[in-house]
Structures are given as C-alpha cells and as structure tokens.
Amino acid sequence: MSRSRPVFLFALLSLLWGSAFVAISAGLEHFPPVLFAAFRYDIASLLMLGYAAYAAEDWLPRGRREWYAVAVGAVFLIAGYHAFLFVGQRHTTAAAAAILVSLSPVLTTGFSRVLFPADALSPTGLGGVVLGLLGVAIIARPDPSDLFATDVIATLLVFLAATAFALGSVLVRRIDAPIEIETMEAWSMLGGALVMHGASLAIREPIDPSEWITPEAIGALAYLACAASAVGFLLYFELLERLGAVEINMVSYVAPIVAAVVGWLYLEEAIEPATAVGFACIATGFLLVKREAIRRAIASVSR
C-alpha cells in the first residue's frame, strides 16, 4: 500500500487539476472572470490558513524576506496566473488552456537560466524551450491578416498566465525565504484574492449575484475552491515530499488529458488536431529541458 499510495495520489491530483479547467469553463457562464477567480481564492485561502495553522510550525510569515515571498506569490502565482487564465479561457477550450499552462515548467527553466546565470541552458535545453513556444504558436494558429482575433488573444492570455506562474516561481526561489510552503501558499492565496478583487473593481466587471446562485455556478466555485485548490494543494505538498519537484511537474502533462476527456464528456468540447500537435511539442520540450533531472529520477526509482 505504501508503494501504491504515491501513484494513487498522483492520479487523483491529475484528475482534480485537469477537471478544474472544465469547472472554470462551466463557471465562466455565470461569473465575470477575474471576480470568479477572486471568489475561488477567498474560500481556498481560508481553508489553507486553517491547514497552515494546524500543520506548519509557524503559520504567520516572519521578517521582510518571508513577506516578500508571500507578495510575489500573491501577485504572480495566484493573481497574475489566475486572472489571465480565467479571462483567456472564456474563448478557448478547457483542454487547450490546460495544454498551454503545461508550458509553465519549460518557462520556469528559461527564467531560471536568466536570473541564475550558473544554470546555463545547453543547446538541447534551449531547443526544448523553443519547441515549447512553437507548441503555443501551433495552438494559437494566428492568421497574419487578423492577428487580433478573439481566439488568438485568448491563447495569448493563457500563455501570459503560464508566464506569470513561471516567473513567480523563479522569483520566489531567488528570494529564498525560510518560510514553510503551507504558510506561503495560504497567505499568497489570501493576498492574491485581494489583488484580484481590486483588479475586478478597476476593470468594472459586472456584479449580478442572481447569476451566482445557480446550481452550476455554486458547484463550479465549490469544486475549484475546495477540491482543486484546498485538497489539490494538500496532495501536492505530500507528493512534493515523496516524489520531488521533477516528478510532480509531470502532473502538468497528465492534467490536459483529463481536461480533454472531461471537457468532451461534460461540455462537448472537441479536440482539434492542432491542439494535440501543440501539446506534443510542449511535452517534448519539457522532456528536453528536464532530461538530466528525469534521467536521475528514473535511476533513483530503479535503484
């Protein structure tokens, strides 16, 4: 049972995070996008703060560096990532959004090489980054005569979401604050929710509570806040400890498959061939960028 537990948790996390993209698409029929993302993390942050108070040795950030890390997490990992994702996903499928987000580990490596000169990319790794970006272009398929088409802009917004998450991950690493991950995630969620509420007010999103009390709207919000965010991050913490960062990144490449299947079953979203080709490029780019770490992980499992 102890050996099969990580496999079960990995599959469950992939299911939760993959189907979350479908829940986003469903909820966007009722909520304005940025406010929807803010509501999600209003709830999730309270749940995570409770968990941090229970599980962490120190549930409150201490010192300037820890608060800097929380601020970066709030702005980039929560607010930037989810605001761009939710706005972009109004005009793209759940599967396409999940595939574009799976570029994050590739972009993280690219940003890491810029901010940490010692982590120089090899020609093969650089080729992996380029291949991942090519996958984005294949999914977007911009028409030179109409570069500002709605679907192209939507793809660009989801790409910006992945970029915000990747840059935030590297900046948090650069700050290198001695803060427990549960504490940082909880306070970043709370700060990110506040930032998104401010952004929602700034862009004057419509407020119509009557649209928010339908069963589908409540179900989508509850699933995202409780299952995908709270339970999902608890699974992530355990898997990160059991497996390591490289192995946990593989969730990003199982989640799009889940999103495609659930999106087809629940929303009747079709998967276009170009989307599948773009996913193949992004996944191959990840393998090229992380090839040494993957080789070490496989060797460790073999031993």
Side-chain angles (χ1 to χ4, degrees), residues 21 24-25 28 84-100 139-140 150-159 267 269-270 275:
F21 290 93
I24 291 171
S25 293
L28 287 172
F84 283 127
L85 174 62
F86 279 50
V87 174
Q89 203 172 320
R90 289 185 303 173
H91 301 290
T92 189
T93 65
I99 290 168
L100 291 166
I139 294 172
T150 300
D151 55 344
V152 175
I153 296 300
T155 300
L156 176 61
L157 288 171
V158 180
F159 171 72
L267 301 175
E269 292 181 340
T275 302

Side-chain angles (χ1 to χ4, degrees), residues 8 10 18 47 71 87 111 118 143 145 147 151 168 170 173 183 193 213 221 238 243 263 277 288 291 293-294:
F8 171 76
F10 183 93
L47 295 174
V87 174
F111 283 126
D143 182 353
S145 63
L147 293 177
D151 55 344
V170 176
R173 177 188 165 195
T183 301
I213 58 176
L221 179 59
E238 181 167 349
L243 300 178
V277 173
L288 292 176
R291 66 195 185 284
I294 292 172

Side-chain angles (χ1 to χ4, degrees), residues 16-238:
L16 291 175
W17 281 1
S19 57
F21 290 93
V22 180
I24 291 171
S25 293
L28 287 172
E29 296 293 327
H30 307 276
F31 295 94
V34 180
L35 187 60
F36 184 23
F39 283 157
R40 172 184 180 177
Y41 281 98
D42 287 336
I43 300 170
S45 64
L46 295 179
L47 295 174
M48 288 304 300
L49 281 169
Y51 178 74
Y54 164 76
E57 292 185 7
D58 195 348
W59 68 280
L60 185 67
R62 307 286 183 182
R64 184 177 300 176
R65 282 169 58 205
E66 293 193 8
W67 282 110
Y68 279 164
V70 167
V72 168
V75 172
F76 289 94
L77 302 180
I78 302 298
Y81 169 60
H82 290 90
F84 283 127
L85 174 62
F86 279 50
V87 174
Q89 203 172 320
R90 289 185 303 173
H91 301 290
T92 189
T93 65
I99 290 168
L100 291 166
V101 166
S102 72
L103 184 65
S104 290
V106 177
L107 294 175
T108 299
T109 302
F111 283 126
S112 179
R113 274 32 176 190
V114 172
L115 296 177
F116 296 91
D119 297 340
L121 268 176
S122 68
T124 303
L126 182 60
V129 174
V130 173
L131 189 59
L133 296 175
L134 176 62
V136 175
I138 292 173
I139 294 172
R141 289 172 297 165
D143 182 353
S145 63
D146 189 10
L147 293 177
F148 296 100
T150 300
D151 55 344
V152 175
I153 296 300
T155 300
L156 176 61
L157 288 171
V158 180
F159 171 72
L160 289 176
T163 303
F165 191 89
L167 179 58
S169 299
V170 176
L171 290 175
V172 168
R173 177 188 165 195
R174 189 177 180 88
I175 294 170
D176 192 25
I179 184 173
E180 294 173 82
I181 189 170
E182 296 88 349
T183 301
M184 181 185 159
E185 288 289 349
W187 286 94
S188 293
M189 286 180 179
L190 179 59
L194 294 175
V195 171
M196 288 188 287
H197 276 295
S200 178
L201 290 173
I203 63 178
R204 297 183 179 180
E205 286 188 323
I207 298 178
D208 186 4
S210 64
E211 285 288 319
W212 308 343
I213 58 176
T214 64
E216 186 177 53
I218 295 172
L221 179 59
Y223 184 82
L224 288 170
C226 301
S229 295
V231 176
F233 275 102
L234 295 182
L235 295 176
Y236 175 84
F237 296 151
E238 181 167 349

